[in-house]
Amino acid sequence: MATGEAVLASGRSVGEGDRLGRTARRAGWTRWMPLIAGLVTTCVAISGTTASLSADEVATYGAAVARPLSGLWELVQRIDGHFLPYYLLIHVWSWLGEAEWWLRLPSALAAGVAAGFLADLGRRLAGPRAGTIAAALFAVLPSVSYHGANARPYAFAAAAAVVSAWALHRVAEAPTGSAGWKRVCWYAASVAFLGCTHLFSVLVLPAQLLAALLVLPARTFLTRIVPATAAGCVPPAVLALVGWSERHAISWIQPHGPDVLLKFPKHAAGSDLAGPPLFALALVGVVILLRRSLPWGVLAGGWLVLPPVLLLVIDALVTPAYVDRYVFVTAPALALAGGVALGSVRLAPVPFALVCVPAVLVAAILGLPAQADYRQRNGHYDDFPGALAVIRARERPGDAIVYGQSRLRTGFVYYGRDNLPKDVLLKGPGPAFEYVERSDLAEALAGYRRVWVIWRGTKQAGLTDTKIPKVAAVRAAGYRLSTAWHSAELPGLTVALFQRTRGKG
């Protein structure tokens, strides 16, 4: 009898030891998951740097790299003042290089930071499985590949949104005492960081305030969260005042109706194939989280749907402002809620990995067409190297070049450096993104038989419409069209070669 009891005790000890070993291994995996998620997402994002710089990225180069610090300060007093924190970062970053991939690397790192904090936030809200799947879904989103390889601040906005939500959860864990004050200060700093990335990223804050109101005692909410949020909003408030004075910079945005919200899943995911099913999955995850914990369900749901709705309200009541890239800040919420939904699947006979890995693979496969598009040379909707290749294939000594929009010059100088036809109109840099040019185009072209004219837009915009006045001026100076090329995307770039009519010039 004693021997049997000893055997049973020994069996229990072995079983307990196995369980403890598995628990330790899971704890080790959980501890390393944020770092793994961050590295994988950064690598996925940086793999998208094969595309040409877009016009907006060229603006980043022109503002933060091509100018000295004094020139940057002069520029932000006229336009893009709300981008000053990002431009300062890139200005310093460019001291070590200005290649395409290098200028985009900060955004890829920001996407990695977002994925890492998202993995831990998911673990806090719904367990390690949810955090792991949320990070995996985030990594395969085409929008992450696009903005993570985009020399603009939108990946930073997504990262700041995740960090601020994560910091709020830490406050909720220990809202009082000295430790609570430290966490509140970190939350205030994360809110300031959020507002310094992009003005419209603060549209995630209403969801955070609602969650804090529900999860914390009223006194704690009023004495800690409200002051912390107010303090964190000081920098973005200053930037907002600057941005309002420069709102002419977004005068190109057209007003939108409520129907634009139907495209929101595509905008958040970056794919019209992956977006709708991921959004449906995210809604399921929000419902599950609401049933588990009302405050954090409100956080995830509000983070997902409030920014596009509030942006549309601004678009209707204040100024047209709805642009798809401004709602990329919701992409982490899309992945987080999707991770919660998949992490909640419990099929006893089927291992967890056999359910969730295929689901992530399906999301990745649905996003493959968009991923491939974003990695093409014109994947960011401008193809400066392609346009330059057209010129170099037919260029002759003594050719001239004219830019339909003077700011295009920055992109061609970035890629072509000094190996470009004679820039006959350039007088010098302007105070903003445009350049100071000669107004006497016909006299500037005297003595040139061939002239390359480049504009942003379709061939029709310059050749048959009147949208590009310099094309008409070149024709009036006695030139006729020889050939024209347009990049595949819209509006794209058009390169046209004009030759002087015989007997003139």
Side-chain angles (χ1 to χ4, degrees):
M1 186 69 177
T3 302
E5 291 176 352
V7 171
L8 290 173
S10 175
R12 284 194 297 269
S13 298
V14 171
E16 186 67 23
D18 289 343
R19 284 192 294 273
L20 291 173
R22 288 194 298 270
T23 301
R25 286 193 294 272
R26 283 196 296 268
W29 175 254
T30 301
R31 185 169 56 251
W32 286 101
M33 178 47 61
L35 178 60
I36 295 171
L39 290 174
V40 169
T41 304
T42 297
C43 290
V44 171
I46 203 66
S47 70
T49 59
T50 51
S52 165
L53 293 180
S54 67
D56 283 344
E57 291 178 284
V58 168
T60 295
Y61 170 79
V65 181
R67 300 168 186 263
L69 194 58
S70 58
L72 172 57
W73 178 246
E74 183 181 2
L75 178 137
V76 297
Q77 294 179 67
R78 292 173 169 80
I79 192 171
D80 277 3
H82 58 291
F83 284 141
L84 178 59
Y86 176 73
Y87 284 162
L88 286 174
L89 169 67
I90 298 301
H91 181 80
V92 174
W93 183 263
S94 67
W95 293 349
L96 299 177
E98 53 185 66
E100 287 171 326
W101 73 271
W102 182 252
L103 295 179
R104 289 165 166 170
L105 183 56
S107 292
L109 294 173
V113 169
F117 277 89
L118 190 64
D120 195 58
L121 179 61
R123 176 191 66 81
R124 289 169 172 270
L125 298 184
R129 291 181 175 184
T132 301
I133 301 169
L137 288 174
F138 185 74
V140 301
L141 288 179
S143 58
V144 172
S145 288
Y146 182 86
H147 291 291
N150 189 24
R152 299 297 282 175
Y154 306 110
F156 286 87
V162 181
V163 172
S164 60
W166 178 87
L168 178 63
H169 191 273
R170 280 176 49 84
V171 172
E173 286 180 329
T176 59
S178 59
W181 274 115
K182 289 180 181 179
R183 295 186 179 196
V184 168
C185 289
W186 279 112
Y187 177 66
S190 70
V191 171
F193 173 44
L194 176 70
C196 288
T197 58
H198 189 265
L199 288 181
F200 292 127
S201 65
V202 299
L203 297 180
V204 305
L205 289 180
Q208 295 184 10
L209 289 174
L210 284 173
L213 181 62
L214 292 170
V215 77
L216 295 171
R219 181 180 177 85
T220 303
F221 175 78
L222 292 173
T223 60
R224 298 206 170 188
I225 296 299
V226 172
T229 304
C233 283
V234 170
V238 174
L239 293 174
L241 290 174
V242 173
W244 179 253
S245 67
E246 299 173 346
R247 60 190 180 278
H248 60 276
I250 60 171
S251 60
W252 56 270
I253 301 177
Q254 298 299 312
H256 290 84
D259 58 304
V260 75
L261 295 178
L262 296 176
K263 299 179 181 179
F264 166 66
K266 173 189 175 182
H267 296 160
S271 166
D272 53 358
L273 294 178
L278 282 175
F279 185 73
L281 180 67
L283 292 180
V284 173
V286 169
V287 172
I288 292 172
L289 202 52
L290 283 169
R291 296 180 63 182
R292 288 183 180 181
S293 172
L294 179 62
W296 303 119
V298 167
L299 171 70
W303 183 0
L304 179 64
V305 302
L306 283 180
V309 173
L310 294 175
L311 188 59
L312 188 60
V313 171
I314 294 171
D315 188 280
L317 301 181
V318 182
T319 185
Y322 196 103
V323 180
D324 55 357
R325 57 182 175 268
Y326 295 169
V327 297
F328 176 63
V329 72
T330 64
L334 183 73
L336 174 63
V340 171
L342 291 174
S344 300
V345 174
R346 293 292 188 271
L347 298 176
V350 182
F352 167 73
L354 292 183
V355 175
C356 297
V357 171
V360 174
L361 286 176
V362 168
I365 291 170
L366 289 174
L368 276 179
Q371 296 276 15
D373 286 344
Y374 294 151
R375 284 165 170 76
Q376 293 181 8
R377 192 173 63 184
N378 61 354
H380 287 200
Y381 310 112
D382 286 295
D383 187 2
F384 288 97
L388 190 61
V390 170
I391 296 174
R392 285 177 172 168
R394 301 190 61 175
E395 181 184 4
R396 295 179 185 174
D399 284 359
I401 191 169
V402 169
Y403 297 97
Q405 300 96 354
S406 72
R407 65 171 55 194
L408 287 177
R409 183 179 280 105
T410 305
F412 280 87
V413 170
Y414 174 80
Y415 283 102
R417 302 300 173 179
D418 296 328
N419 299 318
L420 290 169
K422 176 67 176 177
D423 192 344
V424 294
L425 295 184
L426 177 65
K427 294 179 67 176
F433 292 115
E434 306 294 342
Y435 289 79
V436 179
E437 295 183 324
R438 294 176 57 172
S439 58
D440 52 341
L441 185 144
E443 184 176 342
L445 288 175
Y448 292 92
R449 181 163 293 278
R450 292 162 33 110
V451 56
W452 296 91
V453 184
I454 303 166
W455 64 89
R456 192 165 196 265
T458 62
K459 291 181 184 179
Q460 180 182 2
L463 299 178
T464 60
D465 295 342
T466 58
K467 296 179 180 179
I468 313 296
K470 287 178 183 174
V471 175
V474 167
R475 281 175 159 163
Y479 292 84
R480 60 177 176 81
L481 178 67
S482 174
T483 185
W485 170 90
H486 179 260
S487 55
E489 71 292 329
L490 293 175
L493 295 172
T494 296
V495 177
L497 174 63
F498 287 83
Q499 296 188 20
R500 189 180 293 275
T501 305
R502 290 184 178 278
K504 295 185 178 182

